[in-house]
Coordinates of all heavy atoms in Angstrom, one line a residue:
A41 N -108.1 41.9 14.4 CA -107.4 41.3 13.3 C -107.3 39.7 13.6 O -107.5 38.9 12.7 CB -106.1 41.8 13.1
G42 N -107.0 39.5 14.9 CA -107.1 38.0 15.3 C -108.4 37.4 15.1 O -108.5 36.2 14.5
V43 N -109.4 38.0 15.4 CA -110.8 37.5 15.3 C -111.1 37.2 13.9 O -111.8 36.3 13.5 CB -111.7 38.5 15.9 CG1 -113.2 38.0 15.7 CG2 -111.5 38.5 17.4
L44 N -110.5 38.1 13.0 CA -110.9 38.0 11.6 C -109.8 36.9 10.9 O -109.8 37.0 9.6 CB -110.8 39.4 10.8 CG -111.9 40.3 11.4 CD1 -111.6 41.7 10.7 CD2 -113.3 39.8 11.0
D45 N -109.1 36.3 11.6 CA -108.1 35.4 11.2 C -106.9 36.0 10.4 O -106.5 35.4 9.5 CB -108.8 34.2 10.4 CG -108.0 32.9 10.3 OD1 -107.2 32.8 11.2 OD2 -108.2 32.2 9.4
V46 N -106.6 37.2 10.7 CA -105.4 37.7 10.1 C -104.2 37.4 10.8 O -104.3 36.8 12.0 CB -105.6 39.3 10.2 CG1 -104.4 40.0 9.5 CG2 -106.8 39.8 9.4
S47 N -103.1 37.5 10.2 CA -101.8 37.0 10.8 C -101.8 37.5 12.3 O -102.1 38.5 12.7 CB -100.7 37.7 10.1 OG -99.4 37.4 10.8
F48 N -101.3 36.4 13.1 CA -101.4 36.6 14.6 C -100.3 37.8 15.1 O -100.4 38.2 16.2 CB -101.1 35.3 15.4 CG -99.7 35.0 15.6 CD1 -99.1 35.4 16.8 CD2 -98.9 34.4 14.7 CE1 -97.8 35.1 17.2 CE2 -97.6 34.0 14.9 CZ -97.1 34.5 16.3
F49 N -99.5 38.1 14.1 CA -98.6 39.2 14.5 C -99.2 40.6 14.8 O -98.8 41.4 15.6 CB -97.5 39.4 13.4 CG -96.5 38.4 13.5 CD1 -96.6 37.2 12.7 CD2 -95.4 38.4 14.4 CE1 -95.7 36.2 12.7 CE2 -94.4 37.4 14.4 CZ -94.6 36.3 13.6
Y50 N -100.5 40.7 14.2 CA -101.2 41.9 14.5 C -101.8 41.7 16.0 O -102.1 42.8 16.6 CB -102.3 42.1 13.5 CG -101.9 42.6 12.1 CD1 -101.5 41.7 11.2 CD2 -101.5 44.0 12.0 CE1 -101.0 42.1 9.9 CE2 -100.9 44.3 10.9 CZ -100.7 43.4 9.7 OH -100.2 43.8 8.5
I51 N -102.1 40.5 16.3 CA -102.5 40.4 17.8 C -101.4 40.7 18.7 O -101.5 41.4 19.8 CB -103.0 38.9 18.0 CG1 -104.0 38.6 17.0 CG2 -103.5 38.7 19.4 CD1 -104.4 37.1 16.9
I52 N -100.2 40.3 18.3 CA -98.9 40.6 19.1 C -98.8 42.1 19.3 O -98.6 42.8 20.3 CB -97.7 40.1 18.5 CG1 -97.7 38.5 18.7 CG2 -96.6 40.7 19.2 CD1 -96.5 37.8 18.3
M53 N -99.0 42.8 18.1 CA -99.0 44.3 18.1 C -100.0 44.9 19.1 O -99.7 45.9 19.8 CB -99.2 44.8 16.6 CG -98.1 44.8 15.6 SD -96.7 45.7 16.1 CE -97.5 47.3 16.2
G54 N -101.2 44.3 19.0 CA -102.1 44.8 20.0 C -101.7 44.6 21.5 O -101.8 45.5 22.3
I55 N -101.1 43.4 21.8 CA -100.7 43.1 23.2 C -99.5 44.1 23.5 O -99.5 44.8 24.6 CB -100.2 41.7 23.3 CG1 -101.4 40.7 23.0 CG2 -99.5 41.5 24.6 CD1 -100.9 39.3 22.9
V56 N -98.7 44.3 22.6 CA -97.5 45.2 22.9 C -97.9 46.7 23.1 O -97.5 47.3 24.0 CB -96.4 45.0 21.7 CG1 -95.3 46.1 21.9 CG2 -95.8 43.7 21.7
M57 N -98.8 47.0 22.2 CA -99.3 48.4 22.3 C -99.9 48.6 23.7 O -99.8 49.7 24.2 CB -100.2 48.8 21.2 CG -99.5 48.9 19.8 SD -98.1 50.0 19.8 CE -97.4 49.8 18.2
W58 N -100.7 47.6 24.2 CA -101.4 47.7 25.3 C -100.4 47.9 26.5 O -100.5 48.6 27.4 CB -102.3 46.5 25.6 CG -103.0 46.4 26.9 CD1 -104.1 47.1 27.3 CD2 -102.4 45.7 28.1 NE1 -104.3 46.9 28.6 CE2 -103.3 46.0 29.1 CE3 -101.3 44.9 28.2 CZ2 -103.2 45.5 30.4 CZ3 -101.3 44.3 29.5 CH2 -102.1 44.7 30.5
I59 N -99.3 47.0 26.3 CA -98.3 47.0 27.5 C -97.6 48.3 27.6 O -97.4 48.9 28.6 CB -97.3 45.9 27.2 CG1 -98.0 44.5 27.4 CG2 -96.1 46.0 28.2 CD1 -97.0 43.3 27.0
L60 N -97.3 48.9 26.4 CA -96.7 50.1 26.3 C -97.5 51.3 26.9 O -97.0 52.1 27.5 CB -96.2 50.5 24.9 CG -95.2 49.6 24.3 CD1 -94.8 50.0 22.9 CD2 -93.9 49.5 25.1
Y61 N -98.8 51.2 26.6 CA -99.8 52.1 27.2 C -99.8 52.1 28.7 O -99.7 53.0 29.4 CB -101.1 51.8 26.6 CG -102.2 52.5 27.4 CD1 -102.4 53.9 27.5 CD2 -103.1 51.8 28.3 CE1 -103.3 54.5 28.1 CE2 -104.1 52.4 29.1 CZ -104.2 53.8 29.0 OH -105.2 54.4 29.7
R62 N -99.8 50.8 29.2 CA -99.8 50.7 30.6 C -98.4 51.1 31.3 O -98.4 51.6 32.3 CB -100.0 49.1 31.1 CG -101.4 48.6 30.6 CD -102.4 49.0 31.5 NE -102.2 48.5 32.9 CZ -103.0 48.6 33.8 NH1 -104.2 49.3 33.7 NH2 -102.8 48.2 35.1
C63 N -97.4 50.9 30.5 CA -96.0 51.2 31.0 C -95.9 52.7 31.0 O -95.2 53.2 31.9 CB -95.0 50.5 30.0 SG -93.3 50.6 30.7
W64 N -96.3 53.4 30.0 CA -96.1 54.8 30.0 C -97.2 55.6 30.5 O -97.1 56.9 30.6 CB -95.8 55.3 28.5 CG -94.5 55.1 28.0 CD1 -93.3 55.1 28.8 CD2 -94.1 54.4 26.8 NE1 -92.3 54.6 28.0 CE2 -92.6 54.3 26.8 CE3 -94.8 54.1 25.6 CZ2 -92.0 53.8 25.7 CZ3 -94.1 53.6 24.5 CH2 -92.7 53.4 24.6
K65 N -98.2 55.1 31.0 CA -99.4 55.7 31.6 C -99.0 56.4 32.9 O -98.4 55.9 33.8 CB -100.5 54.7 31.9 CG -101.8 55.4 32.4 CD -102.9 54.4 32.6 CE -102.9 53.8 33.9 NZ -104.0 52.9 34.2
P66 N -99.3 57.7 33.0 CA -99.0 58.4 34.2 C -99.7 57.8 35.4 O -100.7 57.2 35.4 CB -99.7 59.8 34.0 CG -99.8 60.0 32.6 CD -100.1 58.5 32.0
S67 N -98.9 57.7 36.5 CA -99.4 57.1 37.7 C -98.9 57.7 38.9 O -97.8 58.3 38.9 CB -99.0 55.5 37.7 OG -99.2 55.0 38.9
T68 N -99.5 57.7 40.1 CA -99.1 58.2 41.3 C -98.0 57.3 41.9 O -97.3 57.8 42.7 CB -100.3 58.3 42.3 OG1 -100.8 57.0 42.5 CG2 -101.3 59.2 41.8
E69 N -97.8 56.1 41.4 CA -96.9 55.2 41.9 C -95.9 55.0 40.8 O -96.3 54.7 39.7 CB -97.5 53.9 42.4 CG -98.3 54.0 43.6 CD -98.7 52.6 44.2 OE1 -98.0 51.7 43.8 OE2 -99.7 52.5 45.0
P70 N -94.6 55.0 41.0 CA -93.6 54.7 39.9 C -93.7 53.3 39.6 O -93.8 52.4 40.4 CB -92.2 55.1 40.6 CG -92.5 55.0 42.0 CD -93.8 55.4 42.4
S71 N -93.6 52.9 38.3 CA -93.7 51.5 37.8 C -92.4 50.9 38.1 O -91.3 51.5 38.0 CB -93.9 51.6 36.3 OG -93.8 50.2 35.9

Side-chain angles (χ1 to χ4, degrees):
V43 175
L44 295 175
D45 202 22
V46 179
S47 172
F48 89 93
F49 284 95
Y50 287 99
I51 305 173
I52 290 181
M53 283 296 299
I55 295 173
V56 171
M57 293 305 178
W58 175 84
I59 292 172
L60 296 180
Y61 163 70
R62 296 282 299 182
C63 190
W64 282 321
K65 185 174 89 171
S67 174
T68 56
E69 295 186 21
S71 173

